[in-house]
Amino acid sequence: MSLQDIASLGKMLAQFLALFADCFHGVKGRRLFAAYVRGQLSELQRKNVEAIALKQGVAPRTLQRFLESIKWDHDEVLQRCRKVIVREQADPQAIGVIDETGTAKAGKGTVGVKRQYNGNRGKVENAVVNVALSFATATFQCLIAARTYLPEDWANDTARRKKLMFLTIFSS
């Protein structure tokens, strides 16, 4: 790759990120979104918030606050991503792949945690299960949706859900 090719990649990334700019409220949100994406695309070995922030010249707490509390239109970002995928990866042989992923959990406070089958470890244990939908062609695959499976006892426990809703609203 020539230096000119590499420079054009930065311009292409800026054009791509501009597709989502209005999904983030304020200049600060857009700037932090771009820094986070550049960090995810960087050569960093460990892509945690602190490492990304330092690499991008952003205070780590500022980037952490962006990820946890800056308002943005999550659903609109997902819709636009899906439109880009459909436009760029159209293939009559494309398929949707549904898969679950379990994560072992020790406590009882995480949303959806329960003694249930954890496919990652091949056993019944305290776990959270997420269900994912991917788009796949012969040469491309991409996660397009994911949701936490909510066990029946969580779904039927109004007090537990209200407590979590209260904590979510007042922790941001």
Side-chain angles (χ1 to χ4, degrees):
M1 249 187 181
S2 72
L3 191 55
Q4 190 174 16
D5 292 337
I6 293 169
S8 74
L9 291 176
K11 291 175 188 169
M12 290 171 56
L13 179 59
Q15 290 171 341
F16 178 76
L17 294 177
L19 296 173
F20 305 95
D22 63 324
C23 296
F24 294 85
H25 302 281
V27 174
K28 184 178 181 182
R30 290 189 274 282
R31 184 178 56 81
L32 292 169
F33 167 62
Y36 183 71
V37 170
R38 283 192 308 273
Q40 288 290 346
L41 295 172
S42 75
E43 75 286 352
L44 284 171
Q45 187 173 3
R46 296 195 65 218
K47 294 183 181 173
N48 58 44
V49 174
E50 183 176 8
I52 289 171
L54 294 173
K55 174 79 174 169
Q56 296 301 313
V58 175
R61 284 188 184 260
T62 301
L63 191 57
Q64 181 66 44
R65 270 189 240 110
F66 164 73
L67 293 173
E68 69 187 17
S69 63
I70 286 185
K71 305 247 183 281
W72 56 289
D73 191 341
H74 179 263
D75 292 333
E76 185 61 28
V77 169
L78 286 175
Q79 283 297 90
R80 291 183 190 182
C81 284
R82 291 173 186 140
K83 286 179 183 177
V84 168
I85 293 165
V86 167
R87 183 178 67 237
E88 301 289 328
Q89 302 296 328
D91 183 337
Q93 301 294 318
I95 62 169
V97 179
I98 299 171
D99 193 19
E100 62 83 21
T101 292
T103 304
K105 292 289 181 178
K108 296 179 180 178
T110 304
V111 175
V113 72
K114 172 186 173 145
R115 282 196 57 76
Q116 57 192 323
Y117 183 74
N118 180 350
N120 274 345
R121 303 196 3 171
K123 62 182 182 178
V124 174
E125 64 181 346
N126 221 32
V128 171
V129 174
N130 291 294
V131 180
L133 173 63
S134 297
F135 172 88
T137 70
T139 59
F140 178 83
Q141 50 275 318
C142 180
L143 179 68
I144 59 173
R147 296 288 185 267
T148 299
Y149 166 73
L150 196 61
E152 189 174 345
D153 55 329
W154 270 86
N156 293 332
D157 190 339
T158 307
R160 192 180 208 184
R161 288 194 331 272
K162 281 184 180 178
K163 178 181 174 187
L164 287 169
M165 196 178 325
F166 177 81
L167 292 173
T168 302
I169 291 168
F170 289 102
S171 66
S172 355

